[in-house]
Amino acid sequence: MQTEPYTKLYLSEHYGNEAFRTLAGYEAAGGFQGLRAALARDPEEVTELVKSSGLRGRGGAGFNAGLKWSFMPKGDERMKVLVCNGDESEPGSFKDRMIMQQGPFQILEGLLIAAWATGARRSYIYIRGEYQYPIQCVRKAVAEMYDKGYLGRDVFGEPGFEHDIVVHSGAGAYICGEETGLLESLEGKKGQPRKKPPFPAQHGAFGLPTTVNNIETFAHVPYILSRGVEWFRGFGTEKSPGTTLFGVSGHVERPGLFELPLGTPLREVIAKAGGVRNNRALKAVIPGGMSMPVLTPSDLDVPMAEEFLSERGTHLGTGGVMVMDDTTCMARVACVISYFFRDESCGQCTQCREGTGWIHKLCERIEAGRGRPRDLELLESVPALMEGHTICAFADAAAWPIKGLLRHFRSDFECHISEGSCPFPESFEL
Amino acid sequence: MKPETRKKIDELFRHYPERRGALLPAIYLVQEEFGYVGPEAARELAEIFEIAPVAVWEVLTFYNMFYTEPQGRHHVYVCTNLPCSLRGARPLIRCLEERLGVHAGETTADGRITLGHEECLGSCGTAPVMRVDGVYHENLDLERALAIVDQLD
Ligand SMILES: Cc1cc2nc3c(=O)[nH]c(=O)nc-3n(C[C@H](O)[C@H](O)[C@H](O)COP(=O)(O)O)c2cc1C
Ligand code: FES
């Protein structure tokens, strides 16, 4: 992993600086000013402030973070819980890993601010099991906080403000990124998502009132408090303020992370990554992690913010931008994508369990040149049976990219069926 | 299981409002001791957690990182998801299969290495990547991948 993004703004300003990963270094760089500013205000005021900053969740759905905090019940006797989602398993996403490694205290400060605002007594940071090193980094940061007396009782000298943070390792299951799958997993069960309602704010981890936010979402929060809403809104768009760490992968000269304001045109994001490699032409871009429908070169001017991407039938998701050049066979891409979703379906809902299997079987058959004339119609009909008919959004995530590929690259699939072979000899190998 | 393992499990409970919350971390501890969690160890866990053995087994088989059977001394997992595949992960894993004489998902006859493929490891910006005994090796090419695997004892 890079130690710092290729382009930096406020979030990653100090990444790559070894000291920033220590408590002393973090404080020297202005750390905990956001928390101190929060503690000087009433909790409700802090929630209102974060709400008015327009900070949207960076875990995929883009929900207003402050608004979510305001759903936590008031005057409820039960312990309240925060969950920080560090499962980061959406293919194409690798930003949370960098934050955990380079700015672990930003996450902890964000959690404490949220704890103050919502009255939460405990936080669980759920990190995917494969992230052995990021887990170490976050654990070390938490331990330093305890040593210094920054966690536990009377946090930052605020009498009665108690908070504990527990780092919890996942064990390899994509579905545990979905918030209720994560909660089940945290409870020591299979990570099978729950029916909603009840929502986590009413019935979350261990049945307690819970707020779930993404790692990056928490990491932005301190800056809103320390520098103000106005300042924060100076980055990004009206509806999607702030920056994000775009992760560019695939066929570019310089893959990696880039901190840029939300709303940066897709063309510019790709240009920062050195453009398409070997001077090839661009064929397709998946803009927000693998679950998001594909874009084509005609979309290059789209500002990378949810409100503009949704107009084009896709989403910002996690900001994982996958670039594919003109050698790429889209039937092959469909094979890889559908394999993943077939493998990772939790098996709970029939439409999803069976549908992901059918889609993969069809994609494989078509890619291998054994497709039948009616296969494309079939491939189009399966997603429609899945979308919106299941407990969680995994089925939609599995259906969308296939629909997108068929919408924009139907001829790639048709060729395989009519010719019985792949027309892209230079395509990446399967 | 060793008394130390048991002791470490007992220490986990205080972090969770319900005992069962400690199940995943406890499985990790048992797996650290034995390399996998077989039926015997699963029954022991069930007793500690006061749940049915099948409830432990369900969890064990749901997650990719838990093993119910003995594994090779070393774990080599290559990411084959889309960004890695776009940057040559498939020829890489085939090359490792050839060198080791096993298919992905199998263990070498001498029990040295379990080879597998994995879904996105969150390292797409430094693709292709493999995870060897928990450690990431990024920006791989065939030569380096082979050298890393060859030096595993
Ligand atoms: C199939 C699926 C996988 C998800 N994976 C993740 C993930 O790995 N990390 C994450 O933060 N959110 C993930 N989410 C979104 C979470 O459900 C949830 O919306 C998010 O953690 C809320 O945090 P935010 O509002 O700060 O973004 C996933 C959602 C779905 C449907
Ligand atoms: S696809 Fe291999 S690390 Fe993301």
Side-chain angles (χ1 to χ4, degrees):
Chain A
M1 162 131 276
Q2 308 157 255
T3 54
E4 56 192 299
Y6 289 115
T7 62
K8 304 205 247 179
L9 290 161
Y10 61 87
L11 188 68
S12 59
E13 184 186 351
H14 300 287
Y15 289 9
N17 174 355
E18 201 50 39
F20 195 67
R21 290 152 37 98
T22 66
L23 182 50
Y26 182 68
E27 286 203 286
F32 298 113
Q33 280 173 16
L35 176 60
R36 291 203 167 87
L39 293 176
R41 295 169 183 263
D42 286 341
E44 290 77 31
E45 241 185 289
V46 175
T47 302
E48 271 313 305
L49 208 105
V50 174
K51 198 160 118 187
S52 68
S53 78
L55 172 66
R56 303 175 74 152
R58 302 290 199 254
F63 196 79
N64 180 302
L67 185 58
K68 194 189 279 187
W69 297 2
S70 73
F71 298 155
M72 286 289 260
K74 297 187 182 57
D76 195 314
E77 287 302 300
R78 295 175 296 167
M79 176 169 83
K80 298 188 186 74
V81 174
L82 296 174
V83 171
C84 178
N85 189 341
D87 193 59
E88 188 157 73
S89 32
E90 173 71 14
S93 318
F94 44 103
K95 66 191 174 67
D96 295 339
R97 181 174 164 217
M98 172 165 289
I99 300 171
M100 290 184 245
Q101 291 180 188
Q102 298 296 329
F105 291 100
Q106 295 173 312
I107 305 164
L108 305 184
E109 185 178 355
L111 279 168
L112 283 175
I113 294 169
W116 177 250
T118 59
R121 174 67 183 80
R122 192 178 291 177
S123 292
Y124 289 97
I125 306 182
Y126 184 105
I127 306 175
R128 63 180 296 185
E130 294 88 347
Y131 276 4
Q132 197 174 298
Y133 181 61
I135 289 173
Q136 269 176 31
C137 296
V138 177
R139 285 223 160 103
K140 191 170 148 275
V142 171
E144 269 200 83
M145 294 276 282
Y146 274 109
D147 284 347
K148 183 97 193 231
Y150 282 0
L151 282 172
R153 284 165 197 279
D154 301 337
V155 172
F156 279 76
E158 188 64 38
F161 182 27
E162 298 185 3
H163 199 75
D164 285 296
I165 297 183
V166 178
V167 179
H168 187 96
S169 167
Y174 169 70
I175 195 60
C176 293
E178 196 281 339
E179 60 185 13
T180 60
L182 187 156
L183 295 176
E184 287 289 299
S185 177
L186 185 61
E187 293 182 9
K189 301 171 188 157
K190 293 186 284 183
Q192 293 187 321
R194 300 174 180 169
K195 283 202 189 85
K196 289 185 259 190
F199 290 95
Q202 271 69 48
H203 186 94
F206 306 99
L208 302 168
T210 302
T211 294
V212 185
N213 276 125
N214 169 259
I215 289 261
E216 185 191 336
T217 312
F218 282 117
H220 282 280
V221 169
Y223 300 93
I224 295 167
L225 272 295
S226 63
R227 302 183 190 182
V229 168
E230 193 95 331
W231 171 87
F232 182 72
R233 284 189 166 278
F235 298 90
T237 67
E238 161 85 35
K239 291 193 172 132
S240 304
T243 66
T244 199
L245 293 169
F246 288 106
V248 187
S249 63
H251 295 152
V252 288
E253 285 293 344
R254 188 171 71 155
L257 286 162
F258 301 83
E259 185 181 358
L260 294 165
L262 285 166
T264 302
L266 175 57
R267 182 190 302 281
E268 206 179 311
V269 176
I270 296 175
K272 296 275 181 211
V276 179
R277 71 175 181 189
N278 305 331
N279 291 316
R280 304 280 330 192
L282 179 71
K283 180 165 180 177
V285 185
I286 297 177
M290 207 165 75
S291 310
M292 301 307 159
V294 70
L295 293 171
T296 65
S298 66
D299 297 307
L300 273 173
D301 290 313
V302 67
M304 291 290 284
E306 175 59 18
E307 66 270 28
F308 298 101
L309 286 162
S310 56
E311 279 173 9
R312 310 234 174 180
T314 188
H315 303 280
L316 178 71
T318 58
V321 179
M322 299 182 195
V323 177
M324 289 163 265
D325 70 16
D326 59 353
T327 61
T328 312
C329 167
M330 290 298 151
R332 217 167 266 188
V333 169
C335 256
V336 178
I337 295 180
S338 58
Y339 177 91
F340 170 76
F341 286 107
R342 188 204 64 182
D343 232 35
E344 295 291 340
S345 170
C346 83
Q348 213 178 177
C349 309
T350 312
Q351 292 89 333
C352 176
R353 185 183 61 240
E354 302 300 322
T356 52
W358 292 348
I359 291 181
H360 181 60
K361 213 168 168 178
L362 285 164
C363 289
E364 219 175 16
R365 185 155 88 197
I366 294 170
E367 194 278 332
R370 289 183 279 107
R372 303 169 195 165
R374 283 202 49 234
D375 277 359
L376 277 186
E377 261 170 74
L378 252 174
L379 191 53
E380 267 163 345
S381 67
V382 181
L385 297 171
M386 296 162 63
E387 258 182 291
H389 296 295
T390 52
I391 290 176
C392 84
F394 178 99
D396 308 68
W400 285 347
I402 300 301
K403 278 174 60 181
L405 288 170
L406 283 174
R407 183 159 65 235
H408 295 298
F409 299 101
R410 202 184 168 86
S411 64
D412 277 27
F413 293 83
E414 283 167 348
C415 276
H416 280 79
I417 295 175
S418 58
E419 306 293 319
S421 63
C422 177
F424 302 97
E426 292 176 81
S427 184
F428 75 93
E429 288 178 49
L430 259 196
Chain B
M1 71 185 70
K2 289 192 214 138
E4 298 97 281
T5 307
R6 179 58 214 262
K7 197 163 155 261
K8 281 188 199 159
I9 292 176
D10 286 337
E11 280 162 16
L12 292 169
F13 292 131
R14 69 187 168 92
H15 296 305
Y16 303 88
E18 288 168 18
R19 217 175 160 79
R20 180 147 180 189
L23 183 57
L24 264 61
I27 291 174
Y28 271 116
L29 290 171
V30 174
Q31 194 163 274
E32 223 168 85
E33 183 180 334
F34 299 106
Y36 71 105
V37 184
E40 192 69 24
R43 259 194 303 277
E44 229 177 308
L45 278 167
E47 267 172 39
I48 297 172
F49 281 85
E50 294 161 7
I51 53 179
V54 65
V56 175
W57 204 252
E58 255 181 17
V59 168
L60 282 172
T61 50
F62 185 82
Y63 295 95
N64 294 334
M65 293 177 70
F66 294 149
Y67 312 112
T68 52
E69 278 167 22
Q71 304 289 301
R73 278 200 301 288
H74 299 285
H75 295 240
V76 176
Y77 293 111
V78 179
C79 171
T80 52
N81 208 300
L82 187 55
C84 278
S85 285
L86 290 173
R87 297 184 79 90
R90 306 288 173 132
L92 195 138
I93 193 167
R94 271 201 298 279
C95 183
L96 292 180
E97 286 180 326
E98 222 165 87
R99 174 69 64 116
L100 297 171
V102 293
H103 292 293
E106 297 172 350
T107 302
T108 54
D110 58 2
R112 186 169 72 104
I113 290 174
T114 301
L115 178 70
H117 71 84
E118 220 156 24
E119 295 303 344
C120 179
L121 287 171
S123 196
C124 331
T126 43
V129 57
M130 64 180 185
R131 210 163 61 88
V132 179
D133 298 334
V135 176
Y136 280 37
H137 297 270
E138 306 173 41
N139 282 320
L140 284 174
D141 52 39
L142 293 181
E143 221 169 280
R144 242 185 82 230
L146 285 173
I148 291 165
V149 167
D150 283 345
Q151 73 180 30
L152 298 171
D153 60 21

